[in-house]
Amino acid sequence: MNKKYIDEFYSRVAKDKKHEVFALSLPMFLVNKHIYNESESFYKTSYDLLHSDIDVLAALYFTNENHSLSPTELYDATIFSSGGMTKVLKKLEDRDISKEDKRKSSVTLTQNEVFLIESCICETSKRLENHFKVLSQKEQNDLKKILSKLIYSMI
């Protein structure tokens, strides 16, 4: 994106109060889009995985020490449709699924998947820190609080 167009955007929305909310939403959208696209490329070239695969692995990794959830819990922890979740789970190999009752089955990370997601998290952290280094520590803390407040207001 060209700085000229961003400057024009901010100038135009500042002139009309009914458009002022776009000065909040568009930057969040653009930052998200940039980070998402960069991550998608990184995961594909470095790990041969899609963002959706990483989302499932990360949801399992960060949820509990057992790295295990039922498919319903995993669905609730991510933003996939049930069909999308099924597709991702079929793609991810080496998962531990109870054979008793599919509704009660669990999806658990293997040790290799734990190592994989830890590697992804480490490399992703380095890349993300570069994006946010333009903010002071106080600004980063304020942004975390603000974004947390917004996220919780949506659930």
Side-chain angles (χ1 to χ4, degrees):
M1 181 160 246
N2 188 307
K3 182 183 181 319
K4 172 182 131 180
Y5 298 115
I6 294 171
D7 291 342
E8 287 176 10
F9 164 78
Y10 279 119
S11 174
R12 294 197 66 184
V13 297
K15 292 178 186 175
D16 191 340
K17 290 287 184 195
K18 68 182 178 190
H19 297 139
E20 195 171 39
V21 71
F22 293 110
L24 295 171
S25 62
L26 183 66
M28 286 192 300
F29 173 77
L30 293 176
V31 167
N32 179 62
K33 184 177 178 182
H34 175 79
I35 290 172
Y36 182 90
N37 290 340
E38 180 184 79
S39 296
E40 187 76 22
S41 174
F42 170 76
Y43 296 139
K44 186 66 179 161
T45 58
S46 300
Y47 299 97
D48 195 28
L49 293 171
L50 299 176
H51 214 287
S52 55
D53 303 329
I54 298 296
D55 288 347
V56 169
L57 293 171
L60 289 165
Y61 181 80
F62 284 113
T63 299
N64 57 51
E65 289 184 27
N66 297 330
H67 311 299
S68 183
L69 293 171
S70 72
T72 301
E73 291 170 325
L74 188 55
Y75 172 77
D76 288 342
T78 60
I79 55 170
F80 294 108
S81 66
S82 59
M85 179 61 70
T86 301
K87 184 177 177 181
V88 171
L89 290 177
K90 282 184 181 178
K91 180 179 176 192
L92 295 172
E93 299 174 25
D94 299 329
R95 62 187 195 280
D96 178 23
I97 296 188
S98 166
K99 302 294 183 202
E100 298 169 18
D101 180 346
K102 291 195 183 228
R103 292 169 297 167
K104 294 180 184 176
S105 64
S106 63
V107 180
T108 304
L109 292 180
T110 64
Q111 194 60 43
N112 286 341
E113 290 168 335
V114 170
F115 291 141
L116 172 68
I117 194 62
E118 286 175 344
S119 173
C120 289
I121 290 167
C122 181
E123 292 303 315
T124 299
S125 294
K126 291 174 190 173
R127 287 190 353 273
L128 290 174
E129 285 171 1
N130 284 329
H131 291 299
F132 292 102
K133 70 182 177 186
V134 299
L135 302 175
S136 70
Q137 191 59 54
K138 181 187 179 328
E139 289 170 326
Q140 289 181 31
N141 290 335
D142 289 346
L143 182 58
K144 285 184 239 178
K145 289 177 190 173
I146 291 166
L147 292 173
S148 177
K149 189 173 184 177
L150 281 171
I151 289 170
Y152 281 109
S153 77
M154 295 175 189
I155 55 175

